[in-house]
């Protein structure tokens, strides 16, 4: 059975001191999270402060929101996997639609990032999702399958078992308009079928596929009710400790 995973993507929010404050408040509300996994993904500049602020018994682990594929070198402004590892990150978000759209990241670059993360035993959380015009043109399946195969090219079965996928339709992000759980279930089924074809049915059954896009306290239960949805990648709602704690509580209620 796949354990439910809730990831909070803070995006470009919170200074280091604000981040520590948020984590202190969240830790009071969520001292334990039995039965589910919870990951916090603050900005690079707050990773150290968050690691320091987490109580020793914290149920939360740390992720970064991006990485560069080289370990070091003349790449001004970039951050590498070994740097993230040393800060205590265990996972890293790769290929978020904001990186694809605003920073022109290609599937080939995203693939290099996935492979770099795996080389350093960081668990990649690979984001996939279609835009509204792509959906309206009936291209959802083609787009997410292309992103999946492009992003995971050259990944072994063992590597794949370290990966989490997050289906985040671009049109559902940030606007309060979440995708209907039924549509999400169909896309997740399709992704699992492609994984079964490429990496085998064991891998397809093992990999966690999250949903992201306007996840809230009121809709998360509907997503987690689908056996195809193994958790959520939460944006806006993770910045409020009370909302995020409620989402974690609901995930625990849905735990398998
Ligand atoms: P929102 O939950 O704010 O829509 O953001 C979703 C997202 O992009 C998470 O990575």
């Amino acid at each position: 059975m796949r354990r439910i995973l809730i990831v909070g993507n803070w995006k470009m929010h919170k200074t280091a001191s604000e981040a520590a404050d948020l984590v202190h408040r969240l830790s009071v509300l969520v001292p334990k999270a039995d039965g589910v996994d919870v990951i916090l993904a603050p900005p690079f500049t707050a990773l150290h402060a968050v690691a320091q602020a987490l109580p020793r018994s914290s149920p939360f682990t740390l992720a970064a929101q991006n990485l560069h594929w080289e370990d070091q070198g003349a790449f001004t402004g970039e951050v590498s996997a070994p740097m993230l590892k040393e800060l205590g990150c265990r996972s890293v978000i790769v290929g978020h639609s904001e990186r694809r759209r605003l920073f022109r990241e290609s599937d080939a670059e995203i693939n290099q990032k996935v492979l770099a993360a795996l080389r350093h035993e960081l668990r990649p959380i690979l984001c996939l999702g279609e835009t509204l015009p792509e959906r309206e043109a009936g291209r959802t399946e083609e787009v997410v399958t292309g992103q999946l195969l492009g992003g995971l090219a050259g990944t072994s079965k063992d590597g794949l078992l370290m990966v989490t996928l997050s289906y985040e339709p671009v049109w559902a992000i940030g606007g309060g308009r979440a995708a209907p759980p039924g549509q999400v279930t169909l896309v997740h089924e399709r992704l699992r079928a492609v994984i079964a074809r490429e990496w085998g049915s064991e891998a397809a059954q093992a990999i966690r596929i999250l949903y992201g896009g306007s996840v809230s306290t009121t809709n998360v239960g509907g997503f987690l009710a689908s056996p195809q949805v193994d958790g959520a990648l939460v944006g806006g709602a993770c910045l409020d400790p009370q909302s995020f704690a409620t989402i974690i509580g609901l995930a625990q209620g849905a735990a398998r």
Side-chain angles (χ1 to χ4, degrees), residues 154-225:
T155 305
S156 66
K157 186 178 158 196
D158 283 349
L160 190 88
L161 293 174
M162 295 274 289
V163 174
T164 296
L165 298 178
S166 187
Y167 171 52
E168 300 205 320
V170 179
W171 48 272
I173 293 175
R177 177 185 167 202
Q183 286 182 16
V184 172
T185 296
L186 290 177
V187 174
H188 287 208
E189 278 171 359
R190 184 65 207 138
L191 291 170
R192 247 182 249 289
V194 175
I195 292 166
R197 191 187 72 206
E198 299 291 323
W199 287 275
S201 56
E202 193 194 339
Q205 284 314 308
I207 194 165
R208 288 193 286 202
I209 309 182
L210 316 181
Y211 166 75
S214 301
V215 170
S216 69
T217 54
T218 50
N219 65 21
V220 71
F223 291 108
L224 298 179

Side-chain angles (χ1 to χ4, degrees), residues 88-108:
C89 290
R90 296 212 213 141
S91 323
V92 58
I93 297 171
V94 181
H96 192 280
S97 63
E98 287 149 17
R99 303 251 15 124
R100 293 176 188 266
R101 193 164 46 88
L102 303 172
F103 302 97
R104 304 266 181 273
E105 283 189 15
S106 66
D107 283 324

Side-chain angles (χ1 to χ4, degrees), residues 71-95:
D71 291 359
Q72 59 186 2
F75 301 101
T76 302
E78 294 292 323
V79 174
S80 72
M83 295 171 182
L84 298 176
K85 282 282 284 198
E86 197 176 291
L87 282 172
C89 290
R90 296 212 213 141
S91 323
V92 58
I93 297 171
V94 181

